[in-house]
Amino acid sequence: MNSVLAAALFTNPSLLTNMQEKYAEWQHNFENDGVDPLRATIARLATDGLWFAEKFGLAPPDLELKERIYKELMDGVKEEK
């Protein structure tokens, strides 16, 4: 994935424009949905990592662990400061 993204970035950066715009929109939503922007961003980045691990078979967690991870992330996002 890194190679594909790097190739797109260096050979034709416009290929990433749609993806960058969508991620910027999501990040804006995370920062403005009423929860702590830091916690929401941490959850988003962790979820991106989980997706990446699953998509490329890079030691993805089993279903039980994955469910526990998502629960922990959601609990962390909902915690009061």
Side-chain angles (χ1 to χ4, degrees), residues 25-76:
E25 178 185 334
W26 290 336
Q27 184 62 35
H28 174 79
N29 291 341
F30 290 132
E31 292 175 3
N32 294 285
D33 70 354
V35 299
D36 181 346
L38 174 64
R39 292 172 190 261
T41 300
I42 290 169
R44 179 187 71 85
L45 293 172
T47 303
D48 285 349
L50 286 168
W51 174 85
F52 188 86
E54 285 184 350
K55 192 57 86 175
F56 296 98
L58 301 172
D62 64 27
L63 183 59
E64 179 185 347
L65 182 55
K66 179 179 165 183
E67 288 173 357
R68 290 176 54 207
I69 291 166
Y70 281 131
K71 181 182 180 324
E72 186 71 22
L73 288 170
M74 292 303 297
D75 289 348

